Amino acid sequence: MKQVKFLHTADLHLDSPMVGLRHLPKAIFHRLQESTFTALKNITDAAIKHEVDFVVIAGDLFDGEDRSIRAQAVLRNEMGRLADKGIKVYAIHGNHDHLGAKSVTIDFPDNVHFFSDQVEKADFRKNDGTLVHLYGFSYPERHVMERWIERYKKVDGADFHVGLLHGHFEGVSEHGKYAPFRLTDLIDKDFDYWALGHIHKKAVLSQLPYVVYPGNPQGRNRKELGEKGAYIVNLSETGPEVSFFDTADVIWDEAIIDGQDLLSFNALYEKCLDAIDGKRREGNGVLLDIRIEGVNSGLSDVIGKIASGELLELLQDTEKDEDSFVWVHRLKFTEDIAVDRAGLIKQSDFYEELFSTIEQYDDLWNSLSPLFQHSQARRHLGMLSEQEKEELVEDAERILLQMLLKN
């Protein structure tokens, strides 16, 4: 029976600078700095363990156009490990590491095939004669906005056909809209598997054929939450099978604590410790975002300890030397101030106008533009999702009402 096994990964972003995280303890920040390389090693280990026939990397191997020499050297060494096991690698460059970048490059082992700046076909043949056609292209420049999917053409004669594409799934993702495609575009090509890249959250868009975003193998900020990894893919005459495996060394996570029934600081502290223990993963580090919702506004002493940062320091104190650490990098809270909108509106026309303005508010960009235009601040900012915009407006409303009702 004809069959082939391969590993699908994407968006390695090797040597990502982990912007804005230098406030972390030295050991944890160093661990995070090394995490993209650790994830790559985990990918190589998995490819060898599962005895795959080849590996596909669907773009953004490097984090930036400069492709640091260290990142290239680490990648070359891992590719060398695969070469020693007779495992081939097929890779495309994406918008972050496009071919137009002017950077010093080093050579890679012969087992690695990088696709050119035009859609092309590469062949993989097993010892038993099984033939796979792989199709893909590397970004010639950073901003590839055209529908390159239309340039993919199936070439008959192979047992299996695998497409590599670093691009934007139209109508769903808010990520950079490069090389856009519709799901029907991919299905109509009649390939057996589509190895996608560019979106940093794993997603299976289709199972007939499999159309898969593996996500990035290592989260780099609090937006890239949860498990990160890659896929092992089996294609055979009886049908495809895919299985996900974890690769991240440091995981970003969040916990929400119900603060409405808290009666003391000690009770809150114990709840936070329980949340931390619930997120601990053996062998992994965790960067945790804790949100305490609905703290009784009458507990001024508790609120003071949170607002001053004392609770955060207490939670961090025992974690900095842990190998399987859970480091609380952000602690937010909201007060439980009951808001009777109808009653407030009856009380004053001001509140009716306030709530109406909030509900119709759609000028968030102009409000935030000084921040995004600041030469230093914009380096650390990404575009806001619709959910994040809604959360900002909700936070602003809550803070404003707290101030008004307290006064």
Side-chain angles (χ1 to χ4, degrees):
M1 179 176 69
K2 296 292 182 69
Q3 62 180 11
V4 67
K5 182 193 295 186
F6 62 92
L7 186 153
H8 170 203
T9 186
D11 299 285
L12 305 179
H13 287 274
L14 295 175
D15 211 11
S16 179
M18 303 300 173
V19 172
L21 296 170
R22 291 189 176 275
H23 63 281
L24 293 172
K26 185 175 180 180
I28 293 179
F29 181 62
H30 178 71
R31 178 101 169 253
L32 194 58
Q33 277 186 309
E34 295 295 306
S35 62
T36 56
F37 298 124
T38 304
L40 173 61
K41 181 181 181 298
N42 292 337
I43 289 168
T44 308
D45 290 344
I48 294 171
K49 174 184 175 182
H50 290 277
E51 298 180 331
V52 301
D53 297 303
F54 58 86
V55 172
V56 296
I57 308 176
D60 283 357
L61 295 83
F62 306 106
D63 188 66
E65 296 182 356
D66 61 350
R67 303 185 202 173
S68 73
I69 291 297
R70 186 192 178 207
Q72 293 183 67
V74 172
L75 181 62
R76 181 181 63 182
N77 291 341
E78 293 302 311
M79 297 302 98
R81 291 179 60 204
L82 295 176
D84 292 341
K85 299 295 182 179
I87 299 173
K88 291 188 176 294
V89 180
Y90 299 89
I92 59 177
H93 289 285
N95 54 296
H96 276 263
D97 59 354
H98 59 88
L99 296 180
K102 292 180 171 60
S103 60
V104 176
T105 59
I106 60 178
D107 295 332
F108 281 80
D110 292 338
N111 67 314
V112 182
H113 174 83
F114 288 104
F115 285 81
S116 71
D117 61 356
Q118 298 295 323
V119 176
E120 62 177 359
K121 174 181 70 68
D123 293 344
F124 170 81
R125 188 181 294 276
K126 290 180 65 175
N127 292 334
D128 65 4
T130 301
L131 178 62
V132 183
H133 284 172
L134 298 102
Y135 309 79
F137 78 97
S138 292
Y139 277 41
E141 57 188 6
R142 181 175 180 85
H143 301 291
V144 174
M145 314 306 291
E146 298 82 8
R147 295 173 52 78
W148 278 62
I149 183 59
E150 297 172 0
R151 307 184 191 187
Y152 285 70
K153 307 294 181 184
K154 182 177 180 180
V155 180
D156 293 333
D159 299 292
F160 302 104
H161 300 263
V162 176
L164 285 72
L165 177 61
H166 191 85
H168 163 74
F169 179 29
E170 287 185 339
V172 176
S173 167
E174 295 175 354
H175 214 68
K177 298 181 179 180
Y178 299 127
F181 64 87
R182 296 181 292 267
L183 186 55
T184 54
D185 295 330
L186 306 188
I187 293 174
D188 288 347
K189 297 298 179 181
D190 194 30
F191 288 2
D192 297 286
Y193 185 90
W194 276 98
L196 303 180
H198 185 49
I199 304 304
H200 291 182
K201 184 176 181 179
K202 70 183 177 76
V204 177
L205 305 184
S206 167
Q207 294 185 0
L208 288 172
Y210 267 102
V211 178
V212 178
Y213 280 115
N216 53 339
Q218 170 59 57
R220 302 171 303 145
N221 55 61
R222 65 183 181 83
K223 294 182 181 179
E224 298 178 349
L225 296 173
E227 62 180 6
K228 294 291 181 179
Y231 282 91
I232 299 292
V233 183
N234 281 279
L235 300 180
S236 71
E237 295 172 352
T238 59
E241 296 179 359
V242 304
S243 58
F244 183 83
F245 66 94
D246 294 326
T247 57
D249 182 43
V250 180
I251 296 165
W252 295 79
D253 211 337
E254 62 181 356
I256 299 175
I257 294 175
D258 184 358
Q260 292 187 335
D261 60 349
L262 295 174
L263 299 178
S264 66
F265 177 81
N266 188 67
L268 172 59
Y269 178 54
E270 292 295 332
K271 274 201 171 187
C272 289
L273 291 180
D274 288 344
I276 288 172
D277 287 339
K279 294 296 184 179
R280 197 176 305 279
R281 304 186 185 213
E282 189 63 34
N284 290 108
V286 176
L287 293 173
L288 186 63
D289 183 340
I290 293 181
R291 299 204 311 274
I292 308 164
E293 297 187 343
V295 180
N296 189 323
S297 59
L299 298 175
S300 57
D301 56 336
V302 175
I303 291 173
K305 296 296 183 184
I306 304 172
S308 68
E310 289 182 73
L311 175 59
L312 179 60
E313 290 180 7
L314 188 61
L315 296 174
Q316 291 174 340
D317 190 50
T318 60
E319 296 293 328
K320 62 183 67 176
D321 297 320
E322 290 284 339
D323 185 52
S324 299
F325 63 83
V326 180
W327 182 264
V328 181
H329 71 101
R330 198 168 73 144
L331 182 65
K332 295 182 66 177
F333 75 98
T334 61
E335 293 182 51
D336 182 21
I337 297 180
V339 177
D340 178 9
R341 285 192 172 218
L344 290 174
I345 290 173
K346 288 181 181 179
Q347 186 182 120
S348 169
D349 291 341
F350 166 77
Y351 284 107
E352 181 175 13
E353 183 177 350
L354 173 65
F355 293 135
S356 176
T357 300
I358 291 172
E359 289 171 0
Q360 299 176 31
Y361 188 74
D362 61 358
D363 198 23
L364 190 62
W365 170 248
N366 280 338
S367 299
L368 295 175
S369 60
L371 187 61
F372 279 86
Q373 291 170 4
H374 190 280
S375 60
Q376 297 297 322
R378 66 178 174 225
R379 297 180 185 177
H380 309 291
L381 297 172
M383 295 305 295
L384 297 174
S385 67
E386 290 304 315
Q387 180 181 349
E388 288 172 322
K389 292 176 183 177
E390 292 175 5
E391 289 176 354
L392 278 175
V393 173
E394 290 172 0
D395 286 345
E397 176 185 358
R398 183 170 54 251
I399 293 170
L400 181 58
L401 288 174
Q402 287 173 356
M403 295 172 65
L404 288 170
L405 294 178
K406 277 185 177 181
N407 293 327

